[in-house]
Amino acid sequence: MSCSPPPWSALPTAAAAFAPDLWAALLCLAVAGGSHWIGDTFRSAIWNRSVPDELRGPAAGLELLTGSAGPALGDLRAGGLAARQGIRAALRTGGLPCLGGSSVLAAALPALWRYDQRAHRAEVVPGSASAPAPEPAP
């Protein structure tokens, strides 16, 4: 999980600020978007396997809030900064702090490096919505 965004979307975002031309910047931003998509997929898989059924409603609300408010606040910051100091400054001040912050979190939460979905399969409670359906009798 630590090898997915934010680190791998922050790095190409910051690199776009230093790109020599438009095509290089667009390539950097395409890599950032692709890594963000991969990270969303990993986060969904972890969320679906680790959140107990009785907490899915409140947890889904928090996920929705952070998934919609976070990017909107980032867009507000980037747009305001780009209007005042230029697009390159907005990319630098978005990518580099995100890379630093995600590095600190990855060091502080080493369990993200060791996450293994197979370990969570044993924790499924029989009869819960996340438990597999019983095999039909022959």
Side-chain angles (χ1 to χ4, degrees), residues 102-111 113:
S102 60
S103 299
V104 168
L105 286 174
L109 302 169
W113 287 97

Side-chain angles (χ1 to χ4, degrees), residues 20-84:
D21 58 34
L22 177 64
W23 292 110
L26 290 176
L27 178 64
C28 290
L29 294 175
V31 169
S35 65
H36 186 76
W37 176 77
I38 291 169
D40 283 349
T41 303
F42 288 154
R43 189 179 71 246
S44 282
I46 291 171
W47 190 89
N48 287 333
R49 297 300 273 165
S50 61
V51 176
D53 289 340
E54 62 272 7
L55 296 177
R56 287 196 182 241
L62 289 173
E63 178 75 12
L64 180 66
L65 178 67
T66 59
S68 59
L73 290 173
D75 291 346
L76 179 66
R77 180 214 51 87
L81 191 61
R84 279 188 249 121

Side-chain angles (χ1 to χ4, degrees), residues 80-103:
L81 191 61
R84 279 188 249 121
Q85 296 182 356
I87 294 171
R88 290 184 186 265
L91 288 169
R92 270 193 311 271
T93 60
L96 295 176
C98 183
L99 184 60
S102 60
S103 299

